[in-house]
Short mmCIF file of all heavy atoms in Angstrom, two decimals:
data_model
loop_
_atom_site.label_atom_id
_atom_site.label_comp_id
_atom_site.label_asym_id
_atom_site.label_seq_id
_atom_site.Cartn_x
_atom_site.Cartn_y
_atom_site.Cartn_z
N THR A 16 32.74 88.02 -0.94
CA THR A 16 33.87 87.40 -0.27
C THR A 16 35.19 87.63 -0.96
O THR A 16 36.25 87.33 -0.43
CB THR A 16 33.65 85.88 -0.23
OG1 THR A 16 33.63 85.33 -1.58
CG2 THR A 16 32.38 85.51 0.49
N ALA A 17 35.14 88.24 -2.20
CA ALA A 17 36.39 88.50 -2.93
C ALA A 17 36.06 89.54 -4.02
O ALA A 17 34.92 89.78 -4.37
CB ALA A 17 36.93 87.19 -3.57
N LEU A 18 37.16 90.11 -4.57
CA LEU A 18 37.02 91.01 -5.69
C LEU A 18 36.69 90.22 -6.91
O LEU A 18 36.77 89.00 -6.92
CB LEU A 18 38.36 91.77 -5.87
CG LEU A 18 38.77 92.67 -4.71
CD1 LEU A 18 40.16 93.28 -4.94
CD2 LEU A 18 37.75 93.79 -4.46
N PRO A 19 36.26 90.86 -8.00
CA PRO A 19 35.92 90.16 -9.21
C PRO A 19 36.98 89.23 -9.72
O PRO A 19 36.67 88.18 -10.37
CB PRO A 19 35.56 91.25 -10.25
CG PRO A 19 35.12 92.42 -9.35
CD PRO A 19 35.98 92.33 -8.12
N ASP A 20 38.24 89.54 -9.48
CA ASP A 20 39.35 88.64 -9.96
C ASP A 20 39.71 87.56 -9.00
O ASP A 20 40.64 86.79 -9.25
CB ASP A 20 40.61 89.52 -10.25
CG ASP A 20 41.16 90.20 -9.03
OD1 ASP A 20 40.62 89.96 -7.91
OD2 ASP A 20 42.13 90.95 -9.13
N GLY A 21 38.92 87.43 -7.87
CA GLY A 21 39.11 86.34 -6.98
C GLY A 21 39.98 86.63 -5.73
O GLY A 21 40.00 85.85 -4.82
N ARG A 22 40.60 87.82 -5.70
CA ARG A 22 41.47 88.12 -4.53
C ARG A 22 40.55 88.41 -3.31
O ARG A 22 39.59 89.16 -3.42
CB ARG A 22 42.30 89.33 -4.82
CG ARG A 22 43.48 89.05 -5.79
CD ARG A 22 44.22 90.37 -6.12
NE ARG A 22 43.37 91.28 -6.83
CZ ARG A 22 43.60 92.62 -6.79
NH1 ARG A 22 44.53 93.13 -6.05
NH2 ARG A 22 42.79 93.43 -7.47
N SER A 23 40.94 87.85 -2.13
CA SER A 23 40.14 87.98 -0.93
C SER A 23 40.91 88.41 0.29
O SER A 23 40.39 88.39 1.37
CB SER A 23 39.41 86.67 -0.63
OG SER A 23 40.39 85.63 -0.36
N GLN A 24 42.20 88.81 0.16
CA GLN A 24 43.00 89.18 1.30
C GLN A 24 43.12 90.72 1.37
O GLN A 24 43.66 91.32 0.45
CB GLN A 24 44.37 88.55 1.18
CG GLN A 24 44.36 87.07 1.14
CD GLN A 24 45.75 86.47 0.88
OE1 GLN A 24 46.65 87.11 0.43
NE2 GLN A 24 45.87 85.18 1.14
N TRP A 25 42.64 91.37 2.46
CA TRP A 25 41.90 90.75 3.54
C TRP A 25 40.57 91.51 3.74
O TRP A 25 40.57 92.72 3.72
CB TRP A 25 42.65 90.77 4.87
CG TRP A 25 43.98 90.07 4.85
CD1 TRP A 25 45.22 90.70 4.69
CD2 TRP A 25 44.20 88.72 4.93
NE1 TRP A 25 46.20 89.76 4.71
CE2 TRP A 25 45.61 88.47 4.86
CE3 TRP A 25 43.40 87.62 5.06
CZ2 TRP A 25 46.19 87.23 4.90
CZ3 TRP A 25 43.98 86.36 5.14
CH2 TRP A 25 45.32 86.18 5.03
N ILE A 26 39.49 90.78 3.87
CA ILE A 26 38.20 91.43 4.11
C ILE A 26 38.02 91.82 5.62
O ILE A 26 37.55 92.89 5.90
CB ILE A 26 37.06 90.50 3.66
CG1 ILE A 26 37.03 90.44 2.17
CG2 ILE A 26 35.71 90.95 4.21
CD1 ILE A 26 35.95 89.57 1.57
N THR A 27 38.47 90.91 6.50
CA THR A 27 38.28 91.17 7.92
C THR A 27 39.59 91.65 8.58
O THR A 27 40.66 91.58 7.96
CB THR A 27 37.81 89.85 8.60
OG1 THR A 27 38.75 88.82 8.29
CG2 THR A 27 36.43 89.46 8.14
N GLY A 28 39.48 92.03 9.87
CA GLY A 28 40.64 92.53 10.59
C GLY A 28 41.38 91.39 11.26
O GLY A 28 41.08 90.24 11.17
N ALA A 29 42.43 91.79 12.05
CA ALA A 29 43.38 90.85 12.63
C ALA A 29 42.67 89.94 13.61
O ALA A 29 42.94 88.78 13.70
CB ALA A 29 44.53 91.58 13.27
N ALA A 30 41.74 90.48 14.46
CA ALA A 30 41.08 89.67 15.49
C ALA A 30 40.31 88.55 14.86
O ALA A 30 40.30 87.40 15.35
CB ALA A 30 40.23 90.58 16.40
N ALA A 31 39.53 88.85 13.84
CA ALA A 31 38.73 87.79 13.14
C ALA A 31 39.60 86.76 12.47
O ALA A 31 39.32 85.57 12.50
CB ALA A 31 37.82 88.47 12.11
N ARG A 32 40.74 87.22 11.91
CA ARG A 32 41.64 86.27 11.21
C ARG A 32 42.30 85.31 12.19
O ARG A 32 42.44 84.14 11.94
CB ARG A 32 42.69 87.02 10.41
CG ARG A 32 42.09 87.81 9.29
CD ARG A 32 43.16 88.13 8.19
NE ARG A 32 44.24 88.95 8.70
CZ ARG A 32 44.25 90.26 8.77
NH1 ARG A 32 43.17 90.93 8.40
NH2 ARG A 32 45.33 90.89 9.20
N LEU A 33 42.67 85.84 13.40
CA LEU A 33 43.21 84.95 14.41
C LEU A 33 42.17 83.99 14.95
O LEU A 33 42.46 82.81 15.12
CB LEU A 33 43.79 85.77 15.60
CG LEU A 33 44.36 85.02 16.79
CD1 LEU A 33 45.45 84.10 16.33
CD2 LEU A 33 44.78 85.90 17.90
N ASP A 34 40.94 84.43 15.09
CA ASP A 34 39.90 83.56 15.51
C ASP A 34 39.67 82.45 14.48
O ASP A 34 39.47 81.32 14.81
CB ASP A 34 38.59 84.33 15.71
CG ASP A 34 37.45 83.49 16.29
OD1 ASP A 34 37.54 83.19 17.47
OD2 ASP A 34 36.54 83.12 15.57
N GLY A 35 39.79 82.80 13.20
CA GLY A 35 39.70 81.81 12.18
C GLY A 35 40.71 80.69 12.28
O GLY A 35 40.45 79.53 12.02
N HIS A 36 41.94 81.09 12.68
CA HIS A 36 43.01 80.05 12.90
C HIS A 36 42.70 79.18 14.07
O HIS A 36 43.05 77.98 14.02
CB HIS A 36 44.32 80.78 13.09
CG HIS A 36 44.99 81.27 11.83
ND1 HIS A 36 45.72 80.46 11.00
CD2 HIS A 36 44.97 82.52 11.22
CE1 HIS A 36 46.13 81.12 9.96
NE2 HIS A 36 45.67 82.39 10.07
N ARG A 37 42.02 79.66 15.07
CA ARG A 37 41.62 78.77 16.21
C ARG A 37 40.62 77.71 15.74
O ARG A 37 40.71 76.59 16.20
CB ARG A 37 41.02 79.64 17.33
CG ARG A 37 42.01 80.65 17.97
CD ARG A 37 41.50 81.20 19.24
NE ARG A 37 42.37 82.10 19.88
CZ ARG A 37 42.27 83.45 19.84
NH1 ARG A 37 41.29 84.01 19.17
NH2 ARG A 37 43.16 84.21 20.40
N TRP A 38 39.75 78.06 14.79
CA TRP A 38 38.83 77.10 14.30
C TRP A 38 39.53 76.13 13.34
O TRP A 38 39.23 74.96 13.31
CB TRP A 38 37.67 77.81 13.58
CG TRP A 38 36.75 78.41 14.54
CD1 TRP A 38 36.68 79.76 14.89
CD2 TRP A 38 35.69 77.81 15.27
NE1 TRP A 38 35.70 79.97 15.83
CE2 TRP A 38 35.11 78.79 16.09
CE3 TRP A 38 35.26 76.47 15.41
CZ2 TRP A 38 34.06 78.48 17.01
CZ3 TRP A 38 34.22 76.18 16.28
CH2 TRP A 38 33.66 77.18 17.04
N ARG A 39 40.52 76.66 12.60
CA ARG A 39 41.31 75.72 11.80
C ARG A 39 42.00 74.66 12.63
O ARG A 39 42.12 73.51 12.21
CB ARG A 39 42.39 76.51 11.05
CG ARG A 39 41.97 77.26 9.80
CD ARG A 39 43.24 77.87 9.15
NE ARG A 39 42.92 78.65 7.98
CZ ARG A 39 43.82 79.18 7.14
NH1 ARG A 39 45.09 79.01 7.40
NH2 ARG A 39 43.41 79.89 6.09
N ALA A 40 42.45 75.09 13.79
CA ALA A 40 43.22 74.17 14.65
C ALA A 40 42.43 72.93 15.10
O ALA A 40 43.01 71.91 15.44
CB ALA A 40 43.71 74.89 15.91
N ARG A 41 41.11 73.07 15.09
CA ARG A 41 40.24 71.94 15.52
C ARG A 41 40.22 70.82 14.47
O ARG A 41 39.78 69.74 14.79
CB ARG A 41 38.85 72.45 15.79
CG ARG A 41 38.70 73.36 16.98
CD ARG A 41 37.29 73.90 17.10
NE ARG A 41 36.33 72.82 17.19
CZ ARG A 41 35.48 72.64 18.21
NH1 ARG A 41 35.51 73.52 19.25
NH2 ARG A 41 34.63 71.65 18.27
#
């Protein structure tokens, strides 16, 4: 889920990230 130093931006593409925001909205 992240590089060894903790950075995780970005593993997935734009469509998945937007979908994640829709779930946040709930």
Side-chain angles (χ1 to χ4, degrees):
T16 63
L18 297 175
D20 63 3
R22 288 177 295 154
S23 62
Q24 299 174 343
W25 301 101
I26 287 179
T27 55
R32 295 200 299 273
L33 177 58
D34 187 72
H36 280 278
R37 295 191 180 103
W38 287 99
R39 282 186 182 184
R41 294 176 56 122

